[in-house]
Amino acid sequence: MSEPHILTTRLIQGERDHLEVDQAELEVTDGPERGARLPLGLATRTIGTSSRCDLVLTDPTISSTHAEVSVRDGAHVLRDTGSKNGVYLEGWRVTAVPLASGMKLRLGSTTLAVRATGETETVALAAPATGDMIARSVAMRAVIAQLDRFAPSDITILLEGETGVGKDVLARYAHAASQRVNGPFVPVDCGAISPSLLASELFGHIAGAFTGASKTREGMVSAAEGGTLFLDEIGELPIDLQPMLLRLLEQRTSRAVGATRESHHDIRVIAATNRNLGEEVRARRFRQDLYYRLAVGAVRVPPLRDRQADIPLLVERFAAESGARISREVVRALAAYHWPGNVRELRNAVHRIAVMPDMALDRVVQTVPERSRLAMPQAREEAIAEFEREYVSSVLLAAGGSVSRAAELAGVSRQYLYRLITEHDIGRSGGGDDDDGER
């Protein structure tokens, strides 16, 4: 019997380094999603019941984030991310296993088969250091190389990745490498602006368009004229505003709130999200045509746990910013941590060391004792879910049970708040309205 073919990656060094990645897929051969497939390549892929996963399963024995597949040490590795029911290979429970063609893995009550396609993906890599970007790891060098290809043109770029991985920094990098470098870079956080104000913030309004609009105001789209409009957290864009953004992308036109005439724009759009927009499309929370228009230049930004070679350089950069003195032993300890908050959490940790150099390292990285035994993806999912449950319960209580009022207080749409209420099975109190039953 021939040995199974291990799925590997190969670094080819030359005038410009390249990475050859064996292409494969995971196929569900037993379980509710039988026949579903998950393509594997350089990007990290997650598996679980959470809508944030790349392969979403409905098997009740599967955890929210059950496992992930990433390229590590030259091979595709599937890792159990702290699931309740585990990952099994030939009856043995495993925590991490290099994938080979023909291998069958059981997650809960679902079976996944590994299928090699026989093809390879060749990924050009940027130089180990590119300007102000920290890019020693293969994963990050591949991201920079993608942006280098996309930046000179005006195609829309979609940056996908977990919170805190540095999508805003990469957006600025793409702008600086573009033909629009001398134009403005205008960031808009779609999740931080109340949905009722977002249309005005983006597209502007004319005097008298709504109560309080005493004079005409230019929107962020017009402010980005000749440059780049960066739409952060695009997954939070309300569904009723999405046609307006689609028109901007397709026709480069917009209409201010209350206006009758359209304005033409010379801008480039870069968007970013920590959501799985493909799943948002399937759940009818995001328009499919808008998703396809945004993802012309899709770039998956790896989490910090998949680019550990970058951590010492990042620590050095943040230490220089804050004046921290960090020993080699502490750098090694920081490099070994999983960093659920990614680069943002690492920066905050280094800055804490600068202020309180004698603080114990476990307090510096702010690990949560009761979650310290969990793998990072599951710990993050639990922390996010706990925050959402507590916050939504509190804001509903403050609003007397009125979802409309709670959404206004929270600065989110009613639809989004309803989704959280349903997802976390939160009961309302106070006898408030039902918002005409709209869900």
Side-chain angles (χ1 to χ4, degrees), residues 315 319-320 322-328 330-331 350 353-355 357:
V315 170
S322 61
R325 296 175 64 86
I326 300 180
S327 68
R328 292 181 181 178
V330 172
V331 171
V350 173
I353 292 173
V355 177

Side-chain angles (χ1 to χ4, degrees), residues 285-306:
R285 294 189 290 264
F286 205 86
R287 289 178 61 112
Q288 185 178 59
D289 48 3
L290 177 57
Y291 171 59
Y292 289 147
R293 197 67 181 79
L294 286 169
V296 175
V299 177
R300 177 69 69 93
V301 185
L304 191 54
R305 65 183 177 276
D306 286 345

Side-chain angles (χ1 to χ4, degrees), residues 231-295:
L231 299 176
D232 200 5
E233 302 301 345
I234 191 68
E236 307 302 330
L237 190 69
I239 193 75
D240 57 329
L241 290 187
Q242 292 177 23
M244 301 172 71
L245 178 58
L246 181 63
R247 184 165 60 249
L248 176 68
L249 293 175
E250 290 184 336
Q251 303 174 13
R252 288 298 188 267
T253 62
S254 73
R255 183 180 300 160
V257 177
T260 56
R261 294 184 179 178
E262 290 190 333
S263 300
H264 290 265
H265 302 285
D266 174 25
I267 63 170
R268 197 261 187 85
V269 175
I270 299 176
T273 182
N274 64 359
R275 291 189 175 275
N276 182 334
L277 289 189
E279 179 60 25
E280 295 296 296
V281 169
R282 287 189 287 275
R284 300 182 182 276
R285 294 189 290 264
F286 205 86
R287 289 178 61 112
Q288 185 178 59
D289 48 3
L290 177 57
Y291 171 59
Y292 289 147
R293 197 67 181 79
L294 286 169

